[in-house]
Amino acid sequence: MPSPKRSIHVVAGVITDVRGRVLLNRRTENRDMAGLWEFPGGKREAGESSEQALVRELREELGIEAEIGEWIMDVPQHYPDKHLTLEVRHIRSWKGTPRGREGQAITWVAPDKLGRYSMPPADLPVVAALRQPDRYLITPVPEEGEAGVQRWQDQLQQAVATGQQRIQLRLPAAHPQRQVLIEQALQAHRQGVQWLLNRDIELARALGIGVHLGSEQLLALQERPLPEGQLVAASCHDLAQLQAAQRLGCDFAVLGPVQATASHPGATPLGWEAFAALRAQVSLPIYALGGLDAGQVSQARRHGGQGIAAIRGLWPGG
């Protein structure tokens, strides 16, 4: 019987300067995953708080005395030899000049350039959390009739006005006004919103927007269906689907249902612990889905999630 994997708790800092750049450390040749870039920090020792551990690690690694800021997220991650929990905190204030005191290279990176750096699996969801929305709105199907369509359009406008930045247009192919509603939404709100179209790869390609794949589509595809720059997302319910999404190069996935939901009354909820256990086996950003609302973004982040995806929980008027 193989020996059980060790569990370690690592605390890392997202150090940002006055220009908004983020500091990265490069792992030295005598460490595993040598050459990869990471957020600086290290293992929390017995008897230490997370704040104490991060202050000590940043003093040892960079020669600074850091003021530990707000919590960002926890990332559970499985590695071949260990189970790791990466706790991430913001660092906006420190004394001293950061330098690689352990022989490591360091660099300051603009947030939109972080994706260019090769990083360990546990650090990748942190990059997504810094750069991408923490909520993913899925539109409901408009009610029948002219009044229902107008109400849907008004609610969509309200959702955009209140800050929803990533939206999936979930309109059945049989809906008589589908094409018109999609084009009107894009024309009215092209700026500031990342649009994805449910399942329709060809129309998404033609419109220059993203696509959200159903789980059965995901497993049938052999390569990413849209070019870089057009988002590809996927619905996932188990590890095989998450791994397929990662292999395909999906930009993010949704995983659920985490809690009981009226839209899938027969589905057995995963629960948060199972969500975290699945998330730990891949490195792509994952939204928690199923019976959730904006008040549970922090809970999703506690379990390694990008945030929450929802219809009722995010749609104006529920």
mmCIF file of all heavy atoms in Angstrom, residues 99-122:
data_model
loop_
_atom_site.group_PDB
_atom_site.id
_atom_site.type_symbol
_atom_site.label_atom_id
_atom_site.label_comp_id
_atom_site.label_asym_id
_atom_site.label_seq_id
_atom_site.Cartn_x
_atom_site.Cartn_y
_atom_site.Cartn_z
ATOM 1 N N ARG A 99 14.518 41.889 -3.087
ATOM 2 C CA ARG A 99 15.609 41.323 -3.886
ATOM 3 C C ARG A 99 15.640 39.821 -3.623
ATOM 4 O O ARG A 99 15.171 39.353 -2.587
ATOM 5 C CB ARG A 99 16.951 41.965 -3.543
ATOM 6 C CG ARG A 99 17.392 41.746 -2.111
ATOM 7 C CD ARG A 99 18.605 42.605 -1.762
ATOM 8 N NE ARG A 99 19.166 42.262 -0.458
ATOM 9 C CZ ARG A 99 18.667 42.658 0.712
ATOM 10 N NH1 ARG A 99 17.570 43.408 0.750
ATOM 11 N NH2 ARG A 99 19.248 42.297 1.840
ATOM 12 N N GLY A 100 16.217 39.079 -4.543
ATOM 13 C CA GLY A 100 16.267 37.624 -4.395
ATOM 14 C C GLY A 100 17.366 37.204 -3.445
ATOM 15 O O GLY A 100 18.483 36.925 -3.876
ATOM 16 N N ARG A 101 17.044 37.087 -2.164
ATOM 17 C CA ARG A 101 18.061 36.800 -1.148
ATOM 18 C C ARG A 101 18.491 35.335 -1.142
ATOM 19 O O ARG A 101 19.486 34.977 -0.508
ATOM 20 C CB ARG A 101 17.538 37.171 0.247
ATOM 21 C CG ARG A 101 17.286 38.668 0.415
ATOM 22 C CD ARG A 101 16.989 39.037 1.856
ATOM 23 N NE ARG A 101 18.169 38.854 2.697
ATOM 24 C CZ ARG A 101 18.179 38.144 3.827
ATOM 25 N NH1 ARG A 101 17.082 37.490 4.209
ATOM 26 N NH2 ARG A 101 19.281 38.046 4.552
ATOM 27 N N GLU A 102 17.755 34.470 -1.841
ATOM 28 C CA GLU A 102 18.105 33.048 -1.887
ATOM 29 C C GLU A 102 18.624 32.648 -3.268
ATOM 30 O O GLU A 102 18.610 31.484 -3.639
ATOM 31 C CB GLU A 102 16.882 32.217 -1.489
ATOM 32 C CG GLU A 102 16.428 32.499 -0.058
ATOM 33 C CD GLU A 102 15.165 31.742 0.325
ATOM 34 O OE1 GLU A 102 14.461 31.264 -0.598
ATOM 35 O OE2 GLU A 102 14.892 31.617 1.530
ATOM 36 N N GLY A 103 19.088 33.632 -4.008
ATOM 37 C CA GLY A 103 19.654 33.371 -5.329
ATOM 38 C C GLY A 103 18.630 33.284 -6.440
ATOM 39 O O GLY A 103 18.978 32.979 -7.586
ATOM 40 N N GLN A 104 17.367 33.545 -6.136
ATOM 41 C CA GLN A 104 16.309 33.423 -7.133
ATOM 42 C C GLN A 104 16.154 34.733 -7.910
ATOM 43 O O GLN A 104 16.410 35.822 -7.398
ATOM 44 C CB GLN A 104 14.975 33.051 -6.466
ATOM 45 C CG GLN A 104 14.199 34.190 -5.797
ATOM 46 C CD GLN A 104 14.676 34.510 -4.387
ATOM 47 O OE1 GLN A 104 15.810 34.251 -4.009
ATOM 48 N NE2 GLN A 104 13.773 35.103 -3.594
ATOM 49 N N ALA A 105 15.727 34.600 -9.157
ATOM 50 C CA ALA A 105 15.361 35.770 -9.946
ATOM 51 C C ALA A 105 14.002 36.268 -9.490
ATOM 52 O O ALA A 105 13.133 35.491 -9.079
ATOM 53 C CB ALA A 105 15.322 35.413 -11.427
ATOM 54 N N ILE A 106 13.803 37.586 -9.529
ATOM 55 C CA ILE A 106 12.486 38.163 -9.283
ATOM 56 C C ILE A 106 12.158 39.114 -10.429
ATOM 57 O O ILE A 106 13.055 39.597 -11.125
ATOM 58 C CB ILE A 106 12.406 38.895 -7.930
ATOM 59 C CG1 ILE A 106 13.313 40.137 -7.925
ATOM 60 C CG2 ILE A 106 12.768 37.965 -6.783
ATOM 61 C CD1 ILE A 106 13.092 41.022 -6.697
ATOM 62 N N THR A 107 10.876 39.362 -10.626
ATOM 63 C CA THR A 107 10.473 40.286 -11.682
ATOM 64 C C THR A 107 9.139 40.907 -11.317
ATOM 65 O O THR A 107 8.325 40.305 -10.614
ATOM 66 C CB THR A 107 10.375 39.564 -13.048
ATOM 67 O OG1 THR A 107 10.162 40.526 -14.077
ATOM 68 C CG2 THR A 107 9.246 38.551 -13.075
ATOM 69 N N TRP A 108 8.944 42.144 -11.791
ATOM 70 C CA TRP A 108 7.665 42.838 -11.628
ATOM 71 C C TRP A 108 6.882 42.718 -12.928
ATOM 72 O O TRP A 108 7.399 43.020 -13.999
ATOM 73 C CB TRP A 108 7.887 44.308 -11.282
ATOM 74 C CG TRP A 108 8.453 44.525 -9.913
ATOM 75 C CD1 TRP A 108 9.764 44.710 -9.587
ATOM 76 C CD2 TRP A 108 7.722 44.586 -8.682
ATOM 77 N NE1 TRP A 108 9.894 44.881 -8.222
ATOM 78 C CE2 TRP A 108 8.658 44.811 -7.647
ATOM 79 C CE3 TRP A 108 6.367 44.469 -8.367
ATOM 80 C CZ2 TRP A 108 8.275 44.929 -6.312
ATOM 81 C CZ3 TRP A 108 5.979 44.590 -7.031
ATOM 82 C CH2 TRP A 108 6.926 44.810 -6.028
ATOM 83 N N VAL A 109 5.616 42.299 -12.823
ATOM 84 C CA VAL A 109 4.825 41.967 -14.005
ATOM 85 C C VAL A 109 3.492 42.717 -13.973
ATOM 86 O O VAL A 109 2.796 42.710 -12.949
ATOM 87 C CB VAL A 109 4.549 40.445 -14.068
ATOM 88 C CG1 VAL A 109 3.773 40.092 -15.328
ATOM 89 C CG2 VAL A 109 5.847 39.656 -13.981
ATOM 90 N N ALA A 110 3.133 43.340 -15.089
ATOM 91 C CA ALA A 110 1.794 43.930 -15.208
ATOM 92 C C ALA A 110 0.758 42.812 -15.134
ATOM 93 O O ALA A 110 0.968 41.726 -15.682
ATOM 94 C CB ALA A 110 1.665 44.687 -16.522
ATOM 95 N N PRO A 111 -0.380 43.040 -14.442
ATOM 96 C CA PRO A 111 -1.365 41.961 -14.277
ATOM 97 C C PRO A 111 -1.789 41.302 -15.582
ATOM 98 O O PRO A 111 -1.980 40.080 -15.635
ATOM 99 C CB PRO A 111 -2.546 42.663 -13.596
ATOM 100 C CG PRO A 111 -1.923 43.790 -12.838
ATOM 101 C CD PRO A 111 -0.782 44.261 -13.703
ATOM 102 N N ASP A 112 -1.927 42.083 -16.658
ATOM 103 C CA ASP A 112 -2.378 41.483 -17.914
ATOM 104 C C ASP A 112 -1.300 40.674 -18.620
ATOM 105 O O ASP A 112 -1.557 40.032 -19.638
ATOM 106 C CB ASP A 112 -2.932 42.545 -18.856
ATOM 107 C CG ASP A 112 -1.893 43.580 -19.271
ATOM 108 O OD1 ASP A 112 -0.813 43.648 -18.645
ATOM 109 O OD2 ASP A 112 -2.152 44.324 -20.239
ATOM 110 N N LYS A 113 -0.081 40.677 -18.060
ATOM 111 C CA LYS A 113 1.012 39.878 -18.637
ATOM 112 C C LYS A 113 1.306 38.625 -17.810
ATOM 113 O O LYS A 113 2.173 37.830 -18.175
ATOM 114 C CB LYS A 113 2.295 40.715 -18.726
ATOM 115 C CG LYS A 113 2.167 42.008 -19.534
ATOM 116 C CD LYS A 113 1.908 41.733 -20.994
ATOM 117 C CE LYS A 113 2.084 42.983 -21.854
ATOM 118 N NZ LYS A 113 1.182 44.087 -21.502
ATOM 119 N N LEU A 114 0.593 38.419 -16.700
ATOM 120 C CA LEU A 114 0.874 37.279 -15.828
ATOM 121 C C LEU A 114 0.705 35.948 -16.546
ATOM 122 O O LEU A 114 1.421 34.983 -16.266
ATOM 123 C CB LEU A 114 -0.034 37.317 -14.594
ATOM 124 C CG LEU A 114 0.311 38.363 -13.530
ATOM 125 C CD1 LEU A 114 -0.809 38.464 -12.509
ATOM 126 C CD2 LEU A 114 1.629 38.033 -12.844
ATOM 127 N N GLY A 115 -0.227 35.877 -17.485
ATOM 128 C CA GLY A 115 -0.477 34.641 -18.200
ATOM 129 C C GLY A 115 0.678 34.185 -19.071
ATOM 130 O O GLY A 115 0.692 33.036 -19.531
ATOM 131 N N ARG A 116 1.656 35.039 -19.308
ATOM 132 C CA ARG A 116 2.805 34.675 -20.135
ATOM 133 C C ARG A 116 3.864 33.881 -19.365
ATOM 134 O O ARG A 116 4.813 33.374 -19.957
ATOM 135 C CB ARG A 116 3.458 35.941 -20.704
ATOM 136 C CG ARG A 116 2.540 36.768 -21.576
ATOM 137 C CD ARG A 116 3.266 37.995 -22.107
ATOM 138 N NE ARG A 116 2.407 38.830 -22.940
ATOM 139 C CZ ARG A 116 2.792 39.943 -23.549
ATOM 140 N NH1 ARG A 116 4.059 40.363 -23.402
ATOM 141 N NH2 ARG A 116 1.947 40.642 -24.285
ATOM 142 N N TYR A 117 3.718 33.807 -18.045
ATOM 143 C CA TYR A 117 4.737 33.173 -17.210
ATOM 144 C C TYR A 117 4.306 31.759 -16.840
ATOM 145 O O TYR A 117 3.178 31.534 -16.399
ATOM 146 C CB TYR A 117 4.970 34.015 -15.947
ATOM 147 C CG TYR A 117 5.695 35.305 -16.240
ATOM 148 C CD1 TYR A 117 5.038 36.386 -16.815
ATOM 149 C CD2 TYR A 117 7.055 35.442 -15.970
ATOM 150 C CE1 TYR A 117 5.702 37.564 -17.118
ATOM 151 C CE2 TYR A 117 7.733 36.622 -16.258
ATOM 152 C CZ TYR A 117 7.050 37.671 -16.834
ATOM 153 O OH TYR A 117 7.711 38.839 -17.133
ATOM 154 N N SER A 118 5.213 30.810 -17.002
ATOM 155 C CA SER A 118 4.943 29.422 -16.618
ATOM 156 C C SER A 118 4.976 29.318 -15.100
ATOM 157 O O SER A 118 5.960 29.707 -14.469
ATOM 158 C CB SER A 118 6.001 28.490 -17.230
ATOM 159 O OG SER A 118 5.922 28.510 -18.638
ATOM 160 N N MET A 119 3.904 28.775 -14.523
ATOM 161 C CA MET A 119 3.748 28.754 -13.075
ATOM 162 C C MET A 119 3.298 27.378 -12.610
ATOM 163 O O MET A 119 2.721 26.610 -13.387
ATOM 164 C CB MET A 119 2.735 29.822 -12.650
ATOM 165 C CG MET A 119 3.058 31.227 -13.140
ATOM 166 S SD MET A 119 1.832 32.474 -12.663
ATOM 167 C CE MET A 119 2.358 32.822 -10.987
ATOM 168 N N PRO A 120 3.524 27.040 -11.334
ATOM 169 C CA PRO A 120 3.008 25.776 -10.795
ATOM 170 C C PRO A 120 1.480 25.749 -10.837
ATOM 171 O O PRO A 120 0.827 26.796 -10.824
ATOM 172 C CB PRO A 120 3.515 25.789 -9.343
ATOM 173 C CG PRO A 120 4.676 26.731 -9.343
ATOM 174 C CD PRO A 120 4.336 27.779 -10.349
ATOM 175 N N PRO A 121 0.881 24.557 -10.861
ATOM 176 C CA PRO A 121 -0.574 24.453 -10.962
ATOM 177 C C PRO A 121 -1.342 25.250 -9.911
ATOM 178 O O PRO A 121 -2.379 25.838 -10.219
ATOM 179 C CB PRO A 121 -0.829 22.950 -10.824
ATOM 180 C CG PRO A 121 0.409 22.312 -11.363
ATOM 181 C CD PRO A 121 1.530 23.220 -10.942
ATOM 182 N N ALA A 122 -0.851 25.275 -8.670
ATOM 183 C CA ALA A 122 -1.588 25.964 -7.612
ATOM 184 C C ALA A 122 -1.623 27.469 -7.811
ATOM 185 O O ALA A 122 -2.536 28.148 -7.313
ATOM 186 C CB ALA A 122 -0.982 25.630 -6.248
#
